[in-house]
Amino acid sequence: MVQSGDRKSRGSVGVEVFRGRLRLRLPRSLYGGKQKYLTLGLDDTPENRKLAEGKSKNIEADIAYERFDRTLDKYRPNVRAVDNVVPFERVKLGELWDRYLEGRERECSPSTMYKSFAQYTRYVEKLPTYDLRKAQEIKEWVVKNVPAESAKRFLTRLAACCRDGVKAGIIPSNPFDGMAADIKKTKSQRKTEGNDYFTKEERDLILDAFESNKYSNTYSRVNHSYYYPYLWFQFYTGCRGSEAIGLTWDCIAEGFTNIEFRQAAVQTKQGIQIKEGLKTQDKRVFPCNDRMRGFLASIKPDSAKLTDLVFPSPTGKFIDVGNFGNRVWKPVINGLGIRYRKPYCTRHTFITLCLEQGLDAKDVARLCGNSAVVIY
């Protein structure tokens, strides 16, 4: 629960109480309209309030004199000395998690923060306790209440969160260290691991089913054949789904000689938005063979503008990956009797089939935007 102090003028640094601890609310203008906070790790007492107010004034001064540290490292509590390590009973897991998220926001894309960390945060908010001395109790709750495929990953994140706390000198040790390893994967999880691609025969069956509307159903308002070009493109370029969804005609060279992947459609709190740059690089160029050139020429509308999406949804907006997966992709895969794999496995399929045809891993890596190590 958040308790705000007195509202200050726009652009100032506010002092708030969150989960019983003090934090600073930074001006949205510093981060492009996004709300950011600085967790201080201090209980809400009159003395600590004065310390928080003093720190807020220091930050306001740095903003005014254009020396503000956007990483916030300059303003974090100095608790690195061993003598200042706070015992477990003084530090709450929720506070460590907030600090962990601040660090991840500087490293991860908005879509990763939205899709992965948002779910983990919802789990954190439901935990029965934030007392780090009760880590075993937290683990038992996670195993009982979090889906099996997510429980191991969530405990891994909690361990990473506390590992950061140890490195920063905030807590003496990591109470979640090694806990994730105790969770054994289910038989179905083990069965589907390591074979994330479709065979050439499976790929062709899927594309044929999409093109012919073979498994369209009443839950889909649009015939599956509408998505055939979108799916064909992913199977034959190995691009990420977000790259295909965000592709516009100005990314494709005149004469369809090559495709320049330089942006992606990512899911954020505000909805799907275009993000400049790719997951691992600013851009990459994909050369088009005769088949790809013919395909692109066949799907480009005569009235297409350079800024138009190459693969829009039936309503002219971004394709919603979740809706596509549930209402279109899943009925086709189940109808064909093929073992279920996510749409993202079109990328794994392209990579695997290229390697099977004798392409060097370095060349495949350049086409897909990965390193040769990752390809192998």
Side-chain angles (χ1 to χ4, degrees):
M1 184 175 181
V2 177
Q3 300 173 1
S4 299
D6 295 335
R7 287 287 181 184
K8 295 185 177 183
S9 61
R10 184 178 180 183
S12 60
V13 179
V15 177
E16 293 184 353
V17 181
F18 184 64
R19 295 176 181 147
R21 297 298 182 93
L22 294 172
R23 72 179 184 184
L24 301 183
R25 184 185 67 253
L26 301 168
R28 290 178 180 271
S29 58
L30 296 174
Y31 296 94
K34 185 177 181 180
Q35 187 62 73
K36 295 276 288 187
Y37 299 94
L38 173 63
T39 302
L40 298 178
L42 300 173
D43 293 328
D44 183 20
T45 66
E47 294 78 11
N48 288 340
R49 279 264 178 172
K50 292 179 181 178
L51 291 174
E53 288 288 352
K55 188 174 288 288
S56 72
K57 294 184 183 300
N58 288 338
I59 295 176
E60 288 174 353
D62 281 0
I63 295 172
Y65 288 101
E66 299 182 349
R67 60 193 183 203
F68 174 69
D69 178 8
R70 288 176 57 83
T71 69
L72 302 180
D73 290 340
K74 178 179 179 180
Y75 315 111
R76 299 186 192 282
N78 182 17
V79 292
R80 293 183 180 276
V82 175
D83 293 341
N84 290 336
V85 173
V86 181
F88 279 139
E89 60 267 26
R90 292 280 305 282
V91 180
K92 301 300 181 185
L93 178 57
E95 174 189 324
L96 284 179
W97 183 256
D98 290 339
R99 187 181 185 279
Y100 177 66
L101 288 184
E102 289 175 6
R104 300 293 80 72
E105 284 180 346
R106 297 197 295 271
E107 302 170 359
C108 300
S109 68
S111 61
T112 299
M113 294 301 299
Y114 179 83
K115 290 187 289 188
S116 299
F117 287 97
Q119 181 61 63
Y120 295 139
T121 298
R122 286 192 285 272
Y123 292 151
V124 169
E125 291 172 347
K126 294 178 181 178
L127 292 176
T129 177
Y130 287 155
D131 191 336
L132 292 171
R133 294 171 297 179
K134 299 180 179 180
Q136 185 61 36
E137 179 183 329
I138 292 174
K139 176 194 172 183
E140 292 171 359
W141 183 92
V142 170
V143 172
K144 184 177 180 180
N145 294 277
V146 175
E149 65 272 15
S150 300
K152 191 179 185 75
R153 290 194 293 268
F154 179 45
L155 285 172
T156 300
R157 289 296 182 185
L158 290 182
C161 164
C162 290
R163 192 178 306 117
D164 280 4
V166 173
K167 288 181 180 179
I170 298 175
I171 54 176
S173 60
N174 186 350
F176 293 98
D177 189 32
M179 280 192 177
D182 296 336
I183 298 180
K184 304 302 180 183
K185 295 177 181 177
T186 65
K187 185 177 180 180
S188 62
Q189 283 177 295
R190 292 193 299 271
K191 182 179 178 181
T192 57
E193 283 184 345
N195 185 24
D196 292 328
Y197 65 92
F198 295 97
T199 65
K200 180 179 181 298
E201 292 72 24
E202 287 175 327
R203 178 199 67 188
D204 293 343
L205 283 172
I206 293 169
L207 289 175
D208 178 68
F210 266 84
E211 188 175 26
S212 62
N213 290 313
K214 190 172 183 179
Y215 296 101
S216 287
N217 57 41
T218 55
Y219 296 103
S220 179
R221 301 180 210 170
V222 179
N223 285 335
H224 292 177
S225 60
Y226 178 86
Y227 294 96
Y228 171 76
Y230 163 69
L231 194 60
W232 189 97
F233 183 79
Q234 291 184 82
F235 266 126
Y236 281 93
T237 63
C239 70
R240 300 176 179 88
S242 60
E243 296 169 354
I245 293 170
L247 191 70
T248 48
W249 285 109
D250 61 347
C251 297
I252 299 175
E254 186 176 353
F256 311 108
T257 55
N258 63 66
I259 304 162
E260 185 176 83
F261 292 106
R262 58 171 182 261
Q263 60 194 30
V266 298
Q267 182 72 58
T268 69
K269 291 180 180 179
Q270 292 74 37
I272 302 177
Q273 298 179 346
I274 287 287
K275 178 184 77 72
E276 295 297 323
L278 307 177
K279 184 176 181 179
T280 58
Q281 57 195 156
D282 292 333
K283 64 179 181 180
R284 73 175 183 278
V285 176
F286 187 97
C288 296
N289 57 19
D290 290 341
R291 189 175 189 183
M292 182 61 68
R293 286 196 291 272
F295 165 78
L296 292 172
S298 70
I299 67 169
K300 185 175 183 180
D302 293 336
S303 60
K305 299 177 182 177
L306 290 177
T307 54
D308 286 349
L309 294 173
V310 176
F311 304 106
S313 73
T315 59
K317 300 178 181 178
F318 293 110
I319 290 176
D320 186 308
V321 175
N323 283 338
F324 171 77
N326 292 326
R327 298 183 178 183
V328 183
W329 174 262
K330 190 172 291 184
V332 172
I333 301 302
N334 291 340
L336 289 169
I338 294 175
R339 179 173 64 79
Y340 183 82
R341 276 146 284 181
K342 295 180 179 180
Y344 193 83
C345 291
T346 56
R347 176 171 169 84
H348 301 161
T349 301
F350 174 82
I351 291 171
T352 302
L353 294 181
C354 283
L355 293 174
E356 288 180 353
Q357 291 171 12
L359 236 64
D360 189 274
K362 295 190 292 298
D363 295 326
V364 179
R366 281 195 293 271
L367 290 174
C368 298
N370 272 333
S371 67
V373 173
V374 171
I375 293 296
Y376 277 126

